[in-house]
Amino acid sequence: LSNYSRMITSAITEDSKALNAHHNRGENLNEYVLAGEVYILEQIDSLGGYSRGMVEACIQLLIQHEIVSCLAVARWMLGYENVNSVQRSPIDRWWTMGCLATRLCVLNAIDKNKNGMASDTDAANGDQQAASQILNELMEIIKHVVKKAESLWESTPSEKNERLGLVHQCRNLLSFSRKMAAKEIAASKIVPAWQLDSLLVDAFEPQEAALRSLAERKF
């Protein structure tokens, strides 16, 4: 796969430029790139859908080779509008794919920041900016999940259990992501524990509050 990754990403970029020029909607080119990555994920799911483990393994490889992004996985798993303006539904057991995406997002971000550390002294004193950057990348996924949950809440037929189930799954994903991020960032020793706790609260509390508010809405 490593031999073809550059060719695939170049094709996605060129297609995105062509679509952007054709539609002339003034949209960010990154949106078309994400759409291309989501399309790849859709094809992987259609070919390997008989085995969820196979799909997860393929997606993990695609992320590791930087062919698709973790944010693209988040968009795909919760449903999206494809290039033909057809709205797709969330995939089965989407939250398990969400756990995979958030974990790989954090691990990849930690690796990038470790490579950018200037010295052992910096690591010992803690680098709050590096930790914040890691969490910012994670929160891009989390914020999309929460925003999509709010959208699905409005569009889902008025089945109370179905709506509350959606919120419960989102909460489980946020809980997993918060604990996982705390564990992995602490293990990397980028920042002291007391700094990390504060950063996690600032990052996750607004999203958790949004889900609580969603669950409390009247039916």
Side-chain angles (χ1 to χ4, degrees):
L1 187 58
S2 59
N3 294 332
Y4 296 96
S5 60
R6 184 171 294 182
M7 180 184 70
I8 297 171
T9 54
S10 295
I12 293 174
T13 301
E14 291 305 314
D15 283 350
S16 299
K17 290 178 181 178
L19 283 169
N20 193 26
H22 176 72
H23 293 295
N24 194 27
R25 296 174 181 170
E27 294 181 16
N28 191 321
L29 181 63
N30 289 338
E31 289 297 314
Y32 287 99
V33 172
L34 276 172
E37 294 175 4
V38 167
Y39 177 76
I40 290 177
L41 292 168
E42 183 181 37
Q43 299 309 304
I44 293 294
D45 189 46
S46 65
L47 292 172
Y50 61 88
S51 170
R52 183 54 56 185
M54 177 70 75
V55 172
E56 289 183 10
C58 289
I59 290 175
Q60 185 167 343
L61 283 172
L62 290 172
I63 292 173
Q64 289 173 345
H65 288 281
E66 299 183 343
I67 295 173
V68 303
S69 64
C70 295
L71 180 58
V73 175
R75 290 199 174 196
W76 163 69
M77 69 187 189
L78 271 170
Y80 60 96
E81 186 176 288
N82 67 12
V83 292
N84 297 318
S85 299
V86 176
Q87 184 63 43
R88 300 293 187 182
S89 301
I91 65 171
D92 291 337
R93 298 180 59 80
W94 61 263
W95 55 91
T96 60
M97 201 64 70
C99 291
L100 173 67
T102 56
R103 183 171 181 274
L104 290 176
C105 173
V106 169
L107 292 177
N108 291 345
I110 288 174
D111 285 343
K112 285 191 292 184
N113 278 282
K114 275 185 177 179
N115 293 335
M117 280 187 173
S119 67
D120 290 338
T121 303
D122 292 333
N125 292 334
D127 188 342
Q128 185 170 345
Q129 184 176 1
S132 295
Q133 180 59 38
I134 292 168
L135 289 175
N136 285 342
E137 292 189 33
L138 172 61
M139 295 317 295
E140 192 173 5
I141 295 174
I142 297 299
K143 288 177 180 177
H144 173 76
V145 169
V146 173
K147 184 177 180 180
K148 187 65 176 180
E150 292 173 338
S151 174
L152 289 171
W153 180 281
E154 297 296 338
S155 61
T156 300
S158 54
E159 287 289 338
K160 181 176 181 179
N161 289 340
E162 188 174 349
R163 292 186 179 188
L164 290 179
L166 172 67
V167 174
H168 178 69
Q169 291 153 4
C170 289
R171 282 178 166 175
N172 284 345
L173 178 58
L174 262 67
S175 177
F176 166 84
S177 301
R178 183 169 181 167
K179 292 174 182 176
M180 175 273 301
K183 177 184 175 182
E184 298 296 346
I185 296 174
S188 70
K189 299 181 179 179
I190 293 175
V191 289
W194 66 269
Q195 276 189 332
L196 179 56
D197 288 343
S198 177
L199 291 171
L200 287 166
V201 169
D202 290 343
F204 277 89
E205 281 300 324
Q207 305 308 315
E208 291 170 347
L211 288 178
R212 287 195 297 269
S213 175
L214 193 61
E216 291 168 0
R217 289 186 187 179
K218 293 183 178 179
F219 292 90

